Amino acid sequence: MTQRALPSLSQGTRITGRARGTLAATLREHYEKGASIRALAAQMGRSYGFVHRLLSEDGVQLRGRGGATQGKKARR
């Protein structure tokens, strides 16, 4: 199955109804294949918060931030 292309949306364009659901499904496809929220936002020309909100509204299980975790420091 091929991924749908992400649309380029101008900042502030309202996305409602069926178009919002379709966009959320497309974002979900890309996110579940490994794309980051920041990468998706940059590709679309929208904010991180917009993409995060759409994924959350669509019920996507968001990945953790990764990187170093706080805990016991390794002994040298």
Side-chain angles (χ1 to χ4, degrees):
M1 180 191 223
T2 60
Q3 283 185 335
R4 291 178 270 190
L6 288 174
S8 179
L9 304 170
S10 59
Q11 199 75 14
T13 303
R14 289 191 185 263
I15 310 296
T16 59
R18 184 175 291 154
R20 191 174 183 94
T22 302
L23 179 57
T26 302
L27 287 171
R28 168 180 244 166
E29 278 181 33
H30 287 268
Y31 185 75
E32 289 179 345
K33 298 241 190 240
S36 70
I37 294 175
R38 289 195 192 286
L40 293 171
Q43 263 185 285
M44 291 179 55
R46 297 301 294 247
S47 70
Y48 174 95
F50 175 80
V51 174
H52 185 278
R53 189 175 319 107
L54 278 181
L55 290 171
S56 296
E57 286 174 6
D58 202 41
V60 175
Q61 179 71 32
L62 299 176
R63 296 187 292 267
R65 291 179 51 165
T69 58
Q70 293 187 2
K72 291 187 176 182
K73 293 184 179 179
R75 292 184 184 180
R76 293 183 185 197

